[in-house]
Amino acid sequence: MTPSEVAVLLFGGRRAPRGLRRLPVVAPDAELDRFPASARLVVIGAPADLAAVLTRLLRADRLDIEVAHVTRPWQGRRALTGTAARVPLIRDETGTVVAQAAYWLPQEGVRTLRGEAVVDDERLFDGEVTGVRVEPIPTMPGLRATVLSRRMRPTRWVTGRAAQLGTTGAAVVRDGEPGPRPVRRSTFYRHTEGWLRVGPR
């Protein structure tokens, strides 16, 4: 990967690590059509920023673009020299990607989450729970989910392609970003095509 094929996206007033400062910086909302196939975007920001970029790539049908995520200065060199591998891309029914973790939590003013959730064909819970955490995993089948204890700790992980919730009302939090309103149904699932994650050689 040559520097001419790499572009840096800066979020939240962050600065590029020293090894990446000679690379072009583009606006986070830059037009994706300007990038050739197999170009590399270096996202410097939080997991929610990475998720926003992946969501745009998904909706624009540009999952041919490689993406590196930098949260620490020492990761800069890896973003430039690392190789890309296709890993599962986890999204929801709104077309929003989850990069790190999503939660189903009780809606405001309610102490527990009431309903039923399944991962593929396995029941995750039926009744009332503190909440549920859903995470992408880098291998098939693509995601895992767990019911949270009262201390918000994972209990038993269940892996699968999709996690589905039916509830009397839940707050959905994606990579730390709360959804606009409570929902009665929510699904996170593996997209048919993965994304090109840049990692170490």
Side-chain angles (χ1 to χ4, degrees):
M1 181 64 61
T2 65
S4 62
E5 298 172 302
V6 183
V8 175
L9 285 74
L10 298 174
F11 288 85
R14 291 172 171 83
R15 295 183 61 195
R18 181 173 300 176
L20 300 178
R21 290 177 189 169
R22 70 183 187 277
L23 299 175
V25 175
V26 299
D29 59 352
E31 290 294 330
L32 298 176
D33 288 343
R34 65 183 290 183
F35 300 107
S38 299
R40 178 170 298 182
L41 299 180
V42 180
V43 178
I44 301 178
D49 301 319
L50 172 62
V53 172
L54 293 176
T55 296
R56 292 189 63 226
L57 293 176
L58 169 65
R59 294 176 178 176
D61 195 23
R62 290 305 313 271
L63 293 174
D64 57 338
I65 294 177
E66 300 176 2
V67 181
H69 185 210
V70 173
T71 59
R72 298 288 186 271
W74 57 266
Q75 296 173 331
R77 178 174 176 80
R78 183 183 68 187
L80 187 60
T81 63
T83 57
R86 198 167 289 279
V87 298
L89 183 144
I90 303 304
R91 54 169 291 183
D92 67 7
E93 71 280 356
T94 71
T96 302
V97 174
V98 174
Q100 184 178 62
Y103 290 89
W104 291 320
L105 299 173
Q107 58 185 320
E108 187 175 357
V110 181
R111 299 185 63 180
T112 59
L113 176 66
R114 178 179 297 177
E116 180 180 11
V118 296
V119 177
D120 292 350
D121 296 326
E122 185 169 351
R123 181 176 295 169
L124 191 64
F125 81 90
D126 183 3
E128 296 185 23
V129 296
T130 301
V132 173
R133 179 182 172 107
V134 182
E135 297 180 353
I137 56 177
T139 57
M140 295 298 185
L143 61 75
R144 65 178 186 171
T146 181
V147 171
L148 298 171
S149 70
R150 291 185 178 180
R151 296 184 177 182
M152 299 299 288
R153 294 176 179 172
T155 54
R156 177 182 64 96
W157 289 103
V158 179
T159 59
R161 177 187 178 274
Q164 302 178 69
L165 171 71
T167 175
T168 56
V172 181
V173 180
R174 306 171 185 85
D175 293 313
E177 300 290 330
R181 63 187 64 85
V183 301
R184 292 185 179 274
R185 294 188 179 278
S186 178
T187 303
F188 293 99
Y189 62 98
R190 187 184 78 236
H191 188 61
T192 53
E193 184 179 6
W195 63 285
L196 290 169
R197 186 183 68 175
V198 176
R201 289 183 181 274

